Amino acid sequence: MQSLTLSNGRPIPQLGYGVYTMTSEEVERCLPEAIAAGYTHIDTANAYFNEVAVGRAIRESGARREDLFVTTKLFPQSYPYEQCGPDIDASLERLGLGYVDLMLFHQPYGDYVSGWRAMEEAVRAGKARAIGLSNFPLHKVDQILEVATIKPSVFQVEINPYWNQHEYKAALASRGLEGAVFEGWYPLGHGDKGLLAEPLFQELAEKHRKTPAQVVLRWHLQEGNVVFPTTRSAEHLRENLDVFDFELTADEMARVNALPQRPYYVVPEDAPDFVLTHNDYSKQA
Ligand SMILES: NC(=O)c1ccc[n+]([C@@H]2O[C@H](COP(=O)([O-])OP(=O)(O)OC[C@H]3O[C@@H](n4cnc5c(N)ncnc54)[C@H](OP(=O)(O)O)[C@@H]3O)[C@@H](O)[C@H]2O)c1
């Protein structure tokens, strides 16, 4: 598995397995198969309500903890400093893996400024090896940078060929975060057939004897993104891993990067309802 290096010096596998929208039953069915197929990076969140199942599936997989990279995320209800430490501990307890390789603030709302101190304490206590932000617009990243003694090392945002985030990446580099790692959600367009049916990906798939999904994943790897496509299909699970034996040319990368840009989801300035109503992560099978 190809890896990037985080600012803490540790490797982060560039291709992983995401479990958003998966029930605990689906996680217990699919995750062991993913680990057996060679996935070593798993992305979950307290708001996915499947941390317990993720931890159980990992422990039962027989994989060594140190060979896996596990991420979880906190929703805004957990951010106020007094709440953040206990909620980090609660996630660790649900996962039952001792520590997480990466802990993220999931959504850019609420008291993320005071909570960041608890995230730093989690790093110092060995509970989280790295910390970062998901879906944070630049002005909210700046608020964190003003108080941070440990800077966010990972930014998880929507990235796919229709929203390549070149401007966001450049803006963070100009803030002294050139070593930051970017993780892309909706890497394959969240199941939108339109992205994979894009004629350019059909053409490149034929040329490289790969599928359009593999071409898109190859683009991500060459862009330096970390991605963890979700799949419940054993065939897609293997297909998505089989992207290390071909390369897109510089001209092909440029053609992908010339596609018109539009995000699937625009992160609102104020918290949307689905953020405000999420709670009680203890209710997990
Ligand atoms: N931080 C955030 O706010 C945030 C938001 C969204 C997602 N995420 C993370 O990103 C991960 C991925 O996001 P996502 O699941 O929303 O989007 P995605 O990975 O882009 O899309 C998943 C969809 O693609 C299909 N698919 C997977 N492999 C395929 C292949 N080889 N060929 C054709 N179709 C394929 C899957 O269907 P099949 O099951 O049929 O394969 C599923 O419908 C999540 O699990 C989560 O970890 C984070």
Side-chain angles (χ1 to χ4, degrees), residues 17-22 39 42-45 48 71 73 75 104-107 133-135 156-160 183-193 195-196 211-214 217 220 227-241 264-265 267 274:
Y17 189 67
V19 295
Y20 174 44
T21 69
M22 292 179 81
Y39 289 87
I42 298 121
D43 183 88
T44 186
Y48 297 172
T71 298
K73 319 182 192 80
F75 235 44
L104 299 173
F105 276 172
H106 200 156
Q107 298 285 348
L133 300 172
S134 178
N135 298 309
Q156 186 178 125
V157 287
E158 177 183 338
I159 313 180
N160 52 62
E183 298 185 329
W185 54 257
Y186 285 13
L188 296 174
H190 193 53
D192 166 36
K193 301 280 181 287
L195 177 70
L196 299 183
T211 65
Q214 289 172 318
L217 292 174
H220 278 290
V227 282
F228 19 77
T230 311
T231 180
R232 294 163 176 82
S233 144
E235 193 189 325
H236 290 164
L237 196 69
R238 272 173 270 284
E239 180 182 320
N240 295 348
L241 264 191
Y264 280 94
Y265 176 75
V267 177
F274 79 88

Side-chain angles (χ1 to χ4, degrees), residues 109-274:
Y109 309 110
D111 192 4
Y112 45 82
V113 172
S114 85
W116 192 252
R117 184 152 58 96
M119 293 281 267
E120 293 176 337
E121 286 170 3
V123 173
R124 294 194 178 99
K127 296 175 181 179
R129 292 196 156 163
I131 49 179
L133 300 172
S134 178
N135 298 309
F136 273 60
L138 294 169
H139 66 285
K140 293 186 181 182
V141 174
D142 286 338
Q143 292 174 320
I144 298 271
L145 292 178
E146 270 173 33
V147 299
T149 59
I150 301 175
K151 290 181 183 174
S153 56
V154 174
F155 293 85
Q156 186 178 125
V157 287
E158 177 183 338
I159 313 180
N160 52 62
Y162 288 159
W163 196 236
N164 60 33
Q165 296 282 12
H166 286 181
E167 286 177 19
Y168 187 73
K169 290 177 175 183
L172 288 178
S174 76
R175 284 161 165 78
L177 292 167
E178 47 286 286
V181 165
F182 293 89
E183 298 185 329
W185 54 257
Y186 285 13
L188 296 174
H190 193 53
D192 166 36
K193 301 280 181 287
L195 177 70
L196 299 183
E198 176 74 40
L200 177 57
F201 299 131
Q202 303 282 340
E203 176 197 325
L204 296 179
E206 264 173 50
K207 179 188 162 199
H208 290 282
R209 295 175 192 275
K210 290 285 178 182
T211 65
Q214 289 172 318
V215 170
V216 171
L217 292 174
R218 188 67 219 175
W219 170 84
H220 278 290
L221 296 179
Q222 292 180 219
E223 281 279 291
N225 301 331
V226 171
V227 282
F228 19 77
T230 311
T231 180
R232 294 163 176 82
S233 144
E235 193 189 325
H236 290 164
L237 196 69
R238 272 173 270 284
E239 180 182 320
N240 295 348
L241 264 191
D242 184 19
V243 290
F244 295 100
D245 62 350
F246 77 110
E247 210 167 313
L248 300 177
T249 65
D251 175 59
E252 289 166 348
M253 289 294 290
R255 288 178 66 199
V256 177
N257 283 325
L259 288 171
Q261 296 292 293
R262 59 166 176 83
Y264 280 94
Y265 176 75
V266 177
V267 177
E269 177 64 20
D270 298 318
D273 281 352
F274 79 88

Side-chain angles (χ1 to χ4, degrees), residues 1-15 40-41 69 71 101-102 130 153-154 181-183 225-228:
M1 176 55 65
Q2 199 168 293
S3 293
L4 302 178
T5 303
L6 293 172
S7 59
N8 64 9
R10 295 179 185 275
I12 177 168
Q14 234 184 317
L15 191 58
T40 55
H41 178 167
F69 188 101
T71 298
D101 298 276
L102 175 63
S153 56
V154 174
V181 165
F182 293 89
E183 298 185 329
N225 301 331
V226 171
V227 282
F228 19 77

